[in-house]
Amino acid sequence: NKKLKNINKKLLQLSKKISRIRKNNSKIFKEKVEQYLNELNMSSTHLFLKLDEIDIVETGQDSCRFLISTNTGETPKDLSSTISGGELSRIMLAIKLVMQNKDLVKTLIFDEIDLGISGQVADQVGNQIQDLTESHQIICITHLSQIAGKGSNHIKIKKIKKDGRVFSVAKKLNNHERIIEIASLISGKTITDLSKQQARELIINNG
């Protein structure tokens, strides 16, 4: 009983120590994530980490919740229930950029991370994703040429009708097909020589 009491005492001490470190690091983590969010055109978005004390488990005595406020002064709400898919992808990108050297997950999927952005911001999002490829495999679904032009492989998804059914088909594009596809993102249905030239430049500049 005495030995058990001493072990429990040590366990509690270690858990409290971990909690102190976690609380201090959560402030640094918040600042770094918001720094990236600012670069991703989400300067009014603020991340909050709510640490609640629970019974001691393998990771200590803390439960962590991510809360988000998308406008300054707005009451923070649960991350999953307050934002769009595109915003969630950008927040995930910011978190992964901060944690990339410690992340155990090595493949990330960003679904339409370009929602609601264009121009310089789209290019910045593409640059951030490109930085993340140093430590992760990235699968990015996008409709923006600035982001599509930064990939090392380009896969086109389309639907076809066959035998009265609709199938989704994935095709890896060669360099010429990739130029045509990116050009279509630039100029739409009518692909011009200028849009093809812009597509070539995007691929070369990001290669």
Side-chain angles (χ1 to χ4, degrees):
N1 284 340
K2 186 177 179 182
K3 187 177 179 182
L4 183 60
K5 187 177 179 181
N6 288 334
I7 290 172
N8 282 330
K9 184 180 177 182
K10 187 176 180 181
L11 182 61
L12 185 60
Q13 288 172 342
L14 288 171
S15 295
K16 287 185 180 297
K17 183 180 179 182
I18 291 170
S19 291
R20 286 195 299 271
I21 295 169
R22 188 171 278 140
K23 283 171 185 173
N24 289 334
N25 284 340
S26 69
K27 296 171 187 175
I28 299 168
F29 177 78
K30 168 185 163 67
E31 288 172 5
K32 287 185 176 180
V33 169
E34 289 182 354
Q35 210 169 27
Y36 279 117
L37 288 176
N38 187 50
E39 294 173 9
L40 297 171
N41 199 37
M42 295 180 72
S43 56
S44 297
T45 300
H46 300 282
L47 181 72
F48 300 88
L49 281 77
K50 191 173 188 305
L51 296 171
D52 295 314
E53 189 174 315
I54 58 171
D55 291 334
I56 297 173
V57 293
E58 288 180 1
T59 54
Q61 59 179 146
D62 302 304
S63 168
C64 180
R65 286 169 60 210
F66 285 83
L67 304 174
I68 204 82
S69 166
T70 51
N71 293 296
T72 303
E74 192 175 83
T75 303
K77 297 176 183 175
D78 280 323
L79 179 62
S80 58
S81 61
T82 58
I83 54 177
S84 68
E87 288 175 322
L88 184 59
S89 290
R90 272 181 276 168
I91 291 168
M92 182 174 128
L93 173 58
I95 290 171
K96 291 297 182 181
L97 283 164
V98 174
M99 297 295 293
Q100 60 180 308
N101 294 326
K102 301 180 185 297
D103 198 355
L104 298 177
V105 177
K106 293 303 177 186
T107 299
L108 302 175
I109 300 173
F110 293 112
D111 185 6
E112 297 190 346
I113 197 171
D114 52 27
L115 203 64
I117 61 170
S118 60
Q120 187 177 351
V121 176
D123 192 54
Q124 182 62 23
V125 168
N127 288 336
Q128 301 287 28
I129 293 173
Q130 206 166 32
D131 288 346
L132 204 51
T133 61
E134 296 294 323
S135 56
H136 292 72
Q137 173 182 256
I138 306 294
I139 298 170
C140 184
I141 301 160
T142 183
H143 297 97
L144 288 183
S145 58
Q146 295 99 319
I147 295 176
K150 294 182 187 294
S152 54
N153 293 286
H154 196 138
I155 297 170
K156 182 177 181 179
I157 310 292
K158 67 176 182 179
K159 290 185 177 180
I160 59 168
K161 285 185 178 180
K162 186 178 178 181
D163 300 328
R165 292 185 61 193
V166 176
F167 297 88
S168 293
V169 178
K171 181 189 178 186
K172 183 178 178 182
L173 305 182
N174 61 34
N175 193 54
H176 174 71
E177 291 169 331
R178 189 179 179 198
I179 289 168
I180 298 300
E181 185 61 27
I182 293 175
S184 74
L185 295 176
I186 295 170
S187 62
K189 191 174 181 180
T190 304
I191 297 171
T192 64
D193 289 338
L194 181 59
S195 64
K196 284 192 282 187
Q197 181 58 34
Q198 287 176 315
R200 286 190 197 95
E201 288 176 3
L202 274 173
I203 294 168
I204 291 167
N205 291 338
N206 294 307

